Amino acid sequence: MTQTENRPTTSDTPFVPIEKIVALCKRRGFVYPNSEIYGGVSGIYDFGPLGVELRNNIRRYWWWSMVQLHDNVVGIEGAIITHPRVWEASGHVENFVDRLVDCKNCKRRFRIDHLPPENVISNRCPVCGGELMEPRTFNLLMETYLGVVEGERMKTYLRGEACQNIYLDYDNVLKSSRMQIPFGICQIGKAFRNEVTPGNFLFRQREFEQWDLQFFVHPSEMQQWFDYWKEKRFEWYKSLINHTDRLRFRAHGSDELAHYAKQAFDIEYQTILGWQEWEGIHWRQDWDLSRHSEYSGQDLSYTDPITKERYIPWIVETSGGVDRTFLNLLIDAYEEEPDPAGKEPRTVLRLHPTLAPVKVAVLPLQKNKEELLTTARGIHNRLKRLMVSQYDDVANIGRRYRRQDEIGTPYCVTVDFQTLDDATVTVRERDHMTQVRVAIDELPAYLLERVTWQ
Ligand code: ATP
């Protein structure tokens, strides 16, 4: 998927305050606080009618790009609950911890690894300068119990990262599909973390959705595949955003690298929160399959069908998530532009047309002419079989365009008096508000070409 020609590729627009995105999300039905009538739960959200459409589009597009377009990649969907030994083998029971400090004065809480070094040294709060308390350590895994009889119940965990299922199913995929190394397994799924500092809206939640590719290779080809997926993933994000100058790689320093990793990169996006991780590209070597071989007692090594060489495959991991993508895309797309007519500024979500929750709105110019309404409903009924279409005849046409701009609808189709004469409609494009006449019969093809990825 490439940038459509009429969308800006970079922009000097200022960073959008998160509060504006939160307000828009609630007002227009993208995101709601979870259990709001009971006061909410920190770090947990629900998605409304538009939010669920946007999430589905994001998921489908990732799956299409990663699984459907790669002959050497397949997908799985693993369970949220696994055998508890999985989390011992993965190291999460022992090491999935955050160290945290509280400020004695303002009571704010910080992860030590997120504090500026000078505050760690001085033991002072970066916000108010107050003294920090002794650090405490928390495990992020969420516990749960299987079984009903007290005393016989087995403690296990809601998965702290979705990718473990891929290692668990790796051997089954090998045996049940015709994959040979090099090949990859993808998964999208929920993950749960008792984050000690949830916040910044969807950025750090306690229940969220991750996507992972684990790509299995011969050790001698590790570097080549690492470079391949690193570039591929960067280009993927770049193709979705307007502010391409706000995307970059950050190489992990030697103090951040896992002992088995030769290198690691974050793809970062810059918002009002600063540069933040969007997706990680990791060199996992043979760590995961070796650990699961050791803990399960099952041999997870691979025998090359031609050379008969036997080895534990090495892994390139690309790990990101639906929620951060959702948030970053909204931040990237949000713009308030001055109205040339001097009225209120126009709020517009410049989402990539293929990801926009509603693809087209069908609007009869006036409500008082029945023929306009029936023609518009007929067009809507035809289009809704092909894409998400909304019919709207409430309020004047300017207000209705604004409503659609604010939720990122790339095209509005207006049925006017000329339509009744020559069976054409006005198609208004969101970003530049340009208008063209299109024959009703040609409308489905005209829109599909612009709102579907290919
Ligand atoms: P951090 O150091 O910021 O806690 P991490 O490096 O532990 O994050 P990973 O385990 O690498 O994160 O997770 C991979 C991806 O999953 C992240 O790039 C992000 O897109 C997403 N992700 C991780 N934690 C959260 C969360 N709490 N809320 C939303 N998305 C998350």
Side-chain angles (χ1 to χ4, degrees):
M1 183 161 74
T2 51
Q3 294 266 333
T4 49
E5 77 243 35
N6 52 2
R7 294 167 73 235
T9 50
T10 58
S11 151
D12 51 10
T13 46
F15 292 121
V16 182
I18 298 290
E19 296 71 31
K20 290 213 173 191
I21 304 294
V22 177
L24 173 82
C25 281
K26 176 115 190 268
R27 187 169 70 245
R28 300 309 311 273
F30 282 91
V31 185
Y32 310 125
N34 173 271
S35 316
E36 194 180 14
I37 59 170
Y38 290 98
V41 185
S42 160
I44 302 193
Y45 290 91
D46 290 347
F47 294 87
L50 294 180
V52 77
E53 293 294 343
L54 178 55
R55 286 173 78 79
N56 283 341
N57 293 342
I58 292 171
R59 280 193 205 102
R60 278 195 217 112
Y61 180 53
W62 185 83
W63 197 264
W64 178 84
S65 324
M66 301 295 284
V67 182
Q68 199 171 325
L69 291 194
H70 287 94
D71 295 332
N72 57 358
V73 177
V74 289
I76 61 157
E77 187 170 323
I80 284 169
I81 295 174
T82 55
H83 195 286
R85 288 277 284 164
V86 170
W87 303 100
E88 291 168 27
S90 68
H92 283 74
V93 171
E94 200 183 340
N95 297 321
F96 197 37
V97 291
D98 273 346
R99 292 184 68 231
L100 141 135
V101 282
D102 293 286
C103 172
K104 286 184 182 171
N105 182 43
C106 69
K107 313 290 180 219
R108 282 191 175 83
R109 177 166 288 178
F110 306 94
R111 260 170 65 170
I112 292 194
D113 60 335
H114 289 173
L115 277 179
E118 56 274 22
N119 295 83
V120 178
I121 294 163
S122 64
N123 201 37
R124 290 277 158 196
C125 170
V127 179
C128 77
E131 194 187 339
L132 297 173
M133 289 185 192
E134 275 297 298
R136 289 178 293 161
T137 300
F138 289 89
N139 191 295
L140 306 190
L141 282 177
M142 281 196 195
E143 294 175 4
T144 187
Y145 293 85
L146 288 178
V148 287
V149 180
E150 205 56 56
E152 291 174 16
R153 300 192 327 154
M154 177 166 80
K155 183 171 105 174
T156 183
Y157 308 94
L158 303 182
R159 61 186 178 196
E161 59 180 21
C163 65
Q164 289 298 325
N165 296 89
I166 298 181
Y167 312 133
L168 302 177
D169 287 336
Y170 152 80
D171 201 40
N172 280 327
V173 171
L174 251 188
K175 288 176 178 149
S176 58
S177 67
R178 293 176 52 237
M179 288 292 130
Q180 287 179 8
I181 280 178
F183 80 101
I185 304 179
C186 277
Q187 182 184 231
I188 304 184
K190 289 270 188 180
F192 302 82
R193 294 182 186 176
N194 260 324
E195 295 279 2
V196 289
T197 53
N200 291 325
F201 196 32
L202 305 180
F203 187 82
R204 190 172 302 285
Q205 297 171 81
R206 289 176 161 147
E207 174 179 335
F208 56 98
E209 203 165 339
Q210 285 186 313
W211 53 50
D212 289 277
L213 161 73
Q214 306 289 324
F215 199 78
F216 303 88
V217 301
H218 186 276
S220 65
E221 295 187 339
M222 182 71 180
Q223 187 69 58
Q224 151 197 346
W225 283 109
F226 186 88
D227 295 341
Y228 172 85
W229 285 111
K230 180 180 156 223
E231 290 312 314
K232 261 265 173 259
R233 295 305 299 146
F234 192 83
E235 289 307 314
W236 190 84
Y237 286 106
K238 201 168 154 195
S239 74
L240 292 181
I241 57 175
N242 302 310
H243 303 94
T244 49
D245 51 334
R246 294 180 184 166
L247 195 70
R248 73 173 188 193
F249 278 122
R250 186 184 70 82
H252 283 209
S254 53
D255 53 333
E256 293 171 89
L257 285 175
H259 63 88
Y260 48 78
K262 181 175 152 195
Q263 51 189 331
F265 289 86
D266 287 344
I267 297 173
E268 293 190 332
Y269 183 72
Q270 192 184 25
T271 67
I272 203 158
L273 308 171
W275 287 99
Q276 298 278 356
E277 174 182 337
W278 194 343
E279 171 154 324
I281 318 294
H282 302 128
W283 179 294
R284 300 201 60 93
Q285 206 146 306
D286 58 354
W287 166 255
D288 306 281
L289 291 182
S290 300
R291 289 282 286 195
H292 284 300
S293 287
E294 182 192 334
Y295 277 68
S296 67
Q298 304 287 319
D299 180 6
L300 295 177
S301 60
Y302 175 80
T303 306
D304 187 288
I306 296 164
T307 65
K308 306 296 175 212
E309 184 191 355
R310 202 172 175 75
Y311 59 94
I312 296 269
W314 285 21
I315 294 176
V316 180
E317 172 187 74
T318 70
S319 179
V322 178
D323 303 270
R324 254 177 226 184
T325 302
F326 186 103
L327 176 63
N328 285 348
L329 289 182
L330 288 180
I331 293 174
D332 183 79
Y334 186 95
E335 221 163 298
E336 287 174 7
E337 341 178 286
D339 182 338
K343 297 194 197 122
E344 282 178 11
R346 173 173 94 116
T347 300
V348 54
L349 273 190
R350 298 187 193 280
L351 286 170
H352 197 290
T354 60
L355 297 183
V358 177
K359 306 297 186 208
V360 61
V362 184
L363 319 171
L365 185 65
Q366 286 176 13
K367 217 179 166 175
N368 54 7
K369 177 106 176 140
E370 190 51 41
E371 233 181 314
L372 289 182
L373 304 190
T374 5
T375 309
R377 280 199 206 100
I379 294 173
H380 165 65
N381 286 336
R382 198 166 148 198
L383 289 178
K384 75 184 181 192
R385 303 177 68 87
L386 304 169
M387 63 193 78
V388 178
S389 169
Q390 275 189 357
Y391 171 85
D392 185 7
D393 61 15
V394 180
N396 70 47
I397 194 75
R399 291 267 303 275
R400 282 180 276 161
Y401 283 152
R402 289 296 182 90
R403 271 208 290 264
Q404 296 299 331
D405 290 343
E406 204 187 31
I407 62 169
T409 307
Y411 296 99
C412 287
V413 167
T414 308
V415 175
D416 54 22
F417 294 100
Q418 193 184 327
T419 311
L420 307 181
D421 287 339
D422 64 4
T424 65
V425 287
T426 299
V427 178
R428 172 198 182 261
E429 185 270 332
R430 173 197 70 201
D431 290 340
H432 296 91
M433 297 183 278
T434 46
Q435 304 199 353
V436 290
R437 291 296 297 182
V438 177
I440 292 176
D441 281 347
E442 286 163 20
L443 197 54
Y446 179 90
L447 292 171
L448 278 176
E449 192 191 329
R450 289 163 173 79
V451 302
T452 42
W453 46 74
Q454 40 202 294

